[in-house]
Amino acid sequence: MCSHKLSAQGSVKEVDKNSLSITKQITALSHSGCLDSAKNIQESIQQQIISKIQPLLQISDITPAGYIVELGSNQEASYHLQQCREVLEAQASQAYWSTEFINPDYTATAANPKPDYTNQCGYIKLNEADQPRLTLGELVKASKVIEKQIQQDCYEAEKINQLEVDELLHSITEPNNRVVIIDIDILAIVTDSGEIIAVEERYPFKNHEWVGLIELYDSKWLF
């Protein structure tokens, strides 16, 4: 079924929003106990949290205990982020979400203005879920189907669903249109042994991704 409606008794809690400029991003990271330069922040977080950085194709066959995901939208963002959270939570044993952050689109210009994005980081725990666990490649494929379902594009959702995982992984591209109803990016996976492996194609993470990841880490939701 392609249509998704918000349930009246969903497990999604109301989340705060926080406008986030580059200055505020660095300030937020600094307040979290990390160093105040972007380079040192990335090095510090990599040492504290990230166990490895590996290409997507190299780790696509791993069946993770959970994964770290970044959601983004610039079109009725709160509504579409909530839709996405509910769908992802339905497939998980537990889900933990960072604050929603409103970020300007830094590719926008005076001649080509673009709406702000709202982003949110989450940790989706799978190892106690009732449903069979998927490999990372299968999770990426499922996320792309969910994107099209939330966009009400049933035709594209079915096309993606018919693709083999390897074929899909070789064809992923970043959205280049101004309106992004929902974007789902898997930043990293968590293994059964507790290792956090970052997806090389998503690394180094963007500032707002670091902010969400640090919030999850500081809240001890990743362990």
Side-chain angles (χ1 to χ4, degrees):
M1 183 176 181
C2 197
S3 178
H4 288 284
K5 295 183 179 180
L6 299 180
S7 64
Q9 296 180 333
S11 61
V12 178
K13 295 182 180 179
E14 184 175 352
V15 289
D16 295 328
K17 289 186 180 178
N18 197 357
S19 181
L20 193 66
S21 65
I22 290 179
T23 302
K24 289 180 180 177
Q25 290 169 5
I26 299 302
T27 301
L29 290 167
S30 180
H31 286 169
S32 73
C34 296
L35 301 174
D36 58 4
S37 76
K39 181 178 179 180
N40 286 337
I41 286 167
Q42 292 184 9
E43 291 175 352
S44 175
I45 292 302
Q46 180 177 337
Q47 292 172 2
Q48 291 179 46
I49 305 178
I50 305 300
S51 303
K52 299 175 184 174
I53 303 166
Q54 295 187 343
L56 175 59
L57 291 175
Q58 187 173 321
I59 57 176
S60 62
D61 289 333
I62 293 177
T63 301
Y67 62 96
I68 298 165
V69 65
E70 185 75 16
L71 310 182
S73 175
N74 64 11
Q75 182 76 10
E76 298 184 69
S78 290
Y79 176 76
H80 290 124
L81 289 179
Q82 186 174 353
Q83 276 191 306
C84 189
R85 290 194 303 266
E86 288 194 351
V87 175
L88 294 176
E89 287 185 358
Q91 303 169 359
S93 57
Q94 291 177 291
Y96 305 94
W97 300 101
S98 73
T99 306
E100 290 180 10
F101 289 108
I102 301 174
N103 309 292
D105 186 331
Y106 299 112
T107 66
T109 63
N112 185 28
K114 299 179 182 179
D116 289 347
Y117 276 90
T118 300
N119 294 98
Q120 187 173 35
C121 191
Y123 171 46
I124 311 300
K125 190 174 180 180
L126 301 171
N127 60 345
E128 298 172 2
D130 294 333
Q131 301 181 22
R133 285 162 58 182
L134 303 178
T135 66
L136 172 58
E138 290 168 335
L139 288 168
V140 171
K141 178 179 174 179
S143 73
K144 298 309 165 188
V145 172
I146 292 168
E147 285 180 355
K148 295 303 179 183
Q149 288 175 333
I150 292 177
Q151 294 164 14
Q152 298 295 307
D153 191 340
C154 300
Y155 176 73
E156 285 297 323
E158 185 58 28
K159 277 180 61 178
I160 293 172
N161 206 33
Q162 296 299 320
L163 292 175
E164 295 294 331
V165 169
D166 286 347
E167 185 180 1
L168 172 75
L169 296 182
H170 282 94
S171 64
I172 294 174
T173 58
E174 290 292 315
N176 56 12
N177 52 321
R178 288 179 54 184
V179 174
V180 177
I181 292 175
I182 192 68
D183 187 34
I184 307 171
D185 291 311
I186 296 178
L187 304 181
I189 59 172
V190 181
T191 67
D192 286 320
S193 62
E195 282 190 317
I196 298 179
I197 304 175
V199 176
E200 186 176 271
E201 289 82 353
R202 299 296 310 171
Y203 201 86
F205 300 144
K206 298 172 184 175
N207 285 329
H208 63 266
E209 293 169 343
W210 283 123
V211 171
L213 184 56
I214 291 169
E215 184 179 337
L216 294 174
Y217 177 77
D218 283 349
S219 300
K220 303 188 184 305
W221 287 336
L222 293 178
F223 305 99

